Amino acid sequence: MPALPAVEYRICPAQPGAHLFEVSCTVRDPDPQGQIFRLPAWIPGSYMIREFARHIVTLRAELDGEPWPIDKLDKHSWRAAPTAVKGTLSLHYEVYAWDLSVRAAHLDDSHGFFNGTSVFLAVDGRTDRPCLVDIERPSGTAYRDWKVATALALARGVRGAARPYGFGVYRAADYDELIDHPVEMGNFTLGHFEAAGVTHDIVLSGRHDCDLERLGEDLRRVCEWQVALFGAPPPMDYYVFLTMVVGEGYGGLEHRASTALLCSRADLPWKGMAGGAETLPEGYKTFLGLCSHEYFHTWNVKRIKPAAFTPYDLSEENYTRLLWAFEGFTSYYDDLALVRSGVIKPEEYLELLAKTVSNVLRGSGRGKQSVAESSFDAWTKFYRQDENAPNAIVSYYAKGALIALALDLQLRAGSEGRKSLDDVMRLLWQAHGQSGIGVAEDGIFAAVREVGGGTLGPRLARWLEKTVEGTEDLPLARLLKGFGVDYHVEPAGKTPELGVKLATGNGDEVRLATVYDGGPAQAAGLSAGDVLLALDGLKLSAKSMDAMLARRQVGDEVEIHAFRRDELRQFRLTLAAPEASKVSLKLAARAGAAVLKLRRGWLGSTK
C-alpha cells in the first residue's frame, strides 16, 4: 500500500521587526467536500483556553497555485471550497508573535520562538499523517549566523533537509508530534551533556553570564537520577532545554523531548559561584527545580496521562480531577530529585519544602476547595486567578506536592522502607506510560493499593481518596517526626498586621492586591485595589508601612484613609496578630537507627 502524502508546512520569520511569521500548509489530496483546517485553542500542559487563532493576521488559500475560496467557520476553524478535481491545496497566513512566554510564539530581531500549537493549522482527517516543516532563515545579513534548536527530527533524505542546528526541512510522524516540539532560533548559546547515554542540549537565548559547564553538570546529575527512577533507557533519544533569559521571569512548559523555559538571568550560575561545601544561591536552586520539574514531566504527563487526555482535544477544555497527581507529584519530585541526586544538601531541601508548606498554609482557600476540585476547575479558576484567589482556591501544584510527600512517608514507614512513592511512579510508567493507556480517574488510588499491598495498600488508597477530595490539613508534623525531621510553625511576621497583600511594581504606592478572609482589613471594609494613603493621619508608603505597624500593638485600633477609584474613604480597623503560617523544618538532633534508615531511604545520605 503506497504511503500517504505528508502534510507540508513552511514557516519563515519574514518580518522580525513586525513580529510576523509567514506560515503555509500544503495538502496534496484535500477533502473534495471542502477541506477543514483548525488551530488549537490551548496547549497541553497549560490548562486554559488561549485562543491562539486570534493571532492570525491574514489568511488565504490557493488550489494548484490559483486563488481559492475559503470561509471561516468559527473562532479557530476554516473550510476551503469543495474541489471537483484533485489538486494541491495550500493555505498561506501570517501569525503575530509577541508573547514572551513558554506557551505561544515570540519574534523580534534578536530571536524567534514558537510552539506548534500557535502556528501550525491542523488538517481535518489528515492529523495522523507524517508532517514535513521547512523552517526558513529570515532574509538579510543580520541573520546569517542564526541557528535552530529543536527536538524535531531532521528530514533525512528529503530535498532541503536541515542539518543539526540548521534551517531547512524537519519531520514529524504526525500532527501531534509536530506540535510537541517547540523551536528556538537566533544567536543562542549552546551547551551539551550526556545523561543515561542520551545527548542533552542547553540552549540559552538572551544576554547572560552563565557557567554552562556548571549548569550542565548539575542537570546531568538530576537527569540521570530521574532516568534511574523510572528505569533506563529514557523514552527519548535526544533532549533540549530551550531557555529564554530575561531580566525577571519564570516559567516552564513540558514537551516529549524538550522543555521551554523562561528564567531570570540572575538565577543562572556564574563562574566562581559558591559551590561544594557552600549552599547554592536561592535563585539557582529555583531554576534547577524548574528544570527538574519539566524533565520529570517527560514521564509524568507526557507519557503517563489521565485518560481524559488520551487523546487531547485541543478545541475545548479537557476535564480531569487528577492534576494533583500529574502536577502535584511532579512538584514533589522536582526538588526531591535535587537532593537525591546530590546537587543540594538535605538541609537545603528541607528549606525548600518548608516554603511549600508555608505557602499552602497562607491561603484560606485550602479549606474551601479540594485538590480534586482545583484540578477540575483549572480551566476557569487556577489559570484565571483574581484578587480573591487565595481566599477561594488551593493550588493542586503545591498541596498536591504535600499530598505526595505525606503518601511517600506513609508508604515508607508502613513498609519499613521496602515501598515508596517511587514504586507507585514505576508502576504507573509500566502500566500506562509504556502502553499509552490513559490513567482512569481512580487509577492513582488503584496503583497505591497495589504497591502497598496487604492492609497497607487499601488503607493508604482510602486515605488518599479522602484527602484529595477533602480540605483537611495534612498531618505533616507527625509524619516527618517519624523520619527525624522537626516541624516548627511560627507567626509569619513580627508586627501586627492588616490582613492584606500589597501589589508590587507600583513604586511607593500602597495598593492592596488581596484582602485576606477574616482579617482586620476585610472586617473594616477595605477591598483589593484600594490605595492606602495614611495611617492615623500620617502618610503611608510601601517603605514606611512596616515601620509604622511595628510601633503599634496587636488589638490597637487605627484609622486608615484610602482611595477607592477616585473617592476618598475612611476606615477604622483593629490590628491582628500575624498568622502562624511560617514553617521551618530541621533535621532532628537525635534519631534512632530505624528512623535514620527511613530518612536515608527518603533523602539519601544525611548526618
Side-chain angles (χ1 to χ4, degrees), residues 174-357:
D174 52 30
Y175 180 77
D176 184 56
E177 182 176 303
L178 174 71
I179 62 174
D180 208 12
H181 291 292
V183 173
E184 174 71 22
M185 60 182 73
N187 289 314
F188 49 76
T189 306
L190 183 61
H192 317 273
F193 65 90
E194 295 286 322
V198 170
T199 296
H200 291 63
D201 280 349
I202 304 170
V203 171
L204 299 178
S205 296
R207 298 183 181 181
H208 66 86
D209 60 354
C210 179
D211 181 350
L212 264 174
E213 184 177 349
R214 172 62 186 271
L215 177 58
E217 174 57 20
D218 288 340
L219 286 179
R220 180 194 64 77
R221 295 164 74 179
V222 172
C223 294
E224 287 193 338
W225 182 85
Q226 292 192 19
V227 171
L229 170 68
F230 287 99
M236 67 291 183
D237 55 14
Y238 168 69
Y239 192 91
V240 57
F241 294 89
L242 299 170
T243 310
M244 183 66 199
V245 183
V246 295
E248 290 187 14
Y250 178 85
L253 191 63
E254 68 274 5
H255 297 276
R256 66 181 66 189
S258 62
T259 178
L261 305 167
L262 186 72
C263 80
S264 301
R265 63 178 54 90
D267 291 348
L268 294 172
W270 62 93
K271 293 286 186 182
M273 184 187 75
E278 305 289 338
T279 58
L280 296 182
E282 291 301 312
Y284 183 42
K285 283 187 282 193
T286 298
F287 179 64
L288 287 175
L290 174 64
C291 293
S292 177
H293 182 100
E294 305 307 337
Y295 195 75
F296 197 84
H297 274 319
T298 305
W299 293 268
N300 196 35
V301 162
K302 295 312 301 181
R303 291 168 174 86
I304 309 169
K305 298 180 182 179
F309 292 172
T310 51
Y312 294 112
D313 181 350
L314 296 178
S315 67
E316 61 183 10
E317 296 90 342
N318 295 189
Y319 293 101
T320 176
R321 297 174 73 86
L322 291 179
L323 294 182
W324 55 268
F326 289 93
E327 293 292 352
F329 282 20
T330 301
S331 295
Y332 171 58
Y333 275 102
D334 56 21
D335 287 338
L336 187 65
L338 303 186
V339 67
R340 297 267 288 270
S341 64
V343 171
I344 64 173
K345 298 184 177 70
E347 293 84 354
E348 293 177 277
Y349 170 71
L350 293 178
E351 289 177 1
L352 295 172
L353 182 59
K355 288 181 180 178
T356 301
V357 180

Side-chain angles (χ1 to χ4, degrees), residues 282-470:
E282 291 301 312
Y284 183 42
K285 283 187 282 193
T286 298
F287 179 64
L288 287 175
L290 174 64
C291 293
S292 177
H293 182 100
E294 305 307 337
Y295 195 75
F296 197 84
H297 274 319
T298 305
W299 293 268
N300 196 35
V301 162
K302 295 312 301 181
R303 291 168 174 86
I304 309 169
K305 298 180 182 179
F309 292 172
T310 51
Y312 294 112
D313 181 350
L314 296 178
S315 67
E316 61 183 10
E317 296 90 342
N318 295 189
Y319 293 101
T320 176
R321 297 174 73 86
L322 291 179
L323 294 182
W324 55 268
F326 289 93
E327 293 292 352
F329 282 20
T330 301
S331 295
Y332 171 58
Y333 275 102
D334 56 21
D335 287 338
L336 187 65
L338 303 186
V339 67
R340 297 267 288 270
S341 64
V343 171
I344 64 173
K345 298 184 177 70
E347 293 84 354
E348 293 177 277
Y349 170 71
L350 293 178
E351 289 177 1
L352 295 172
L353 182 59
K355 288 181 180 178
T356 301
V357 180
S358 300
N359 288 338
V360 171
L361 291 179
R362 289 191 186 113
S364 63
R366 75 186 193 281
K368 302 172 186 176
Q369 185 189 50
S370 71
V371 291
E373 293 169 332
S374 180
S375 299
F376 193 86
D377 290 338
W379 303 90
T380 55
K381 291 188 176 182
F382 188 79
Y383 274 87
R384 292 184 174 177
Q385 295 190 26
D386 58 21
E387 65 282 347
N388 194 50
N391 299 327
I393 69 174
V394 67
S395 168
Y396 54 78
Y397 282 86
K399 189 171 181 182
L402 299 185
I403 290 172
L405 166 68
L407 176 59
D408 193 13
L409 297 183
Q410 290 179 91
L411 277 167
R412 291 174 183 276
S415 66
E416 296 181 337
R418 292 186 296 272
K419 298 293 182 180
S420 72
L421 189 59
D422 298 355
D423 297 295
V424 175
M425 298 310 303
R426 282 189 283 266
L427 175 61
L428 291 171
W429 171 239
Q430 293 158 9
H432 299 281
Q434 293 181 325
S435 69
I437 299 172
V439 179
E441 293 295 292
D442 63 351
I444 307 298
F445 312 132
V448 170
R449 189 178 300 112
E450 181 175 342
V451 167
T455 59
L456 177 65
R459 176 172 65 81
L460 288 184
R462 290 192 298 271
W463 170 87
L464 181 61
E465 185 170 7
K466 179 182 177 182
T467 298
V468 302
E469 294 289 351

Side-chain angles (χ1 to χ4, degrees), residues 26 58 60 81 110 125 149 186 289 302 364 377 424 437 533 556 587 603:
T26 298
T58 63
R60 60 185 175 85
S110 69
K302 295 312 301 181
S364 63
D377 290 338
V424 175
I437 299 172
L533 303 174
D556 284 355
L587 296 175
L603 297 181

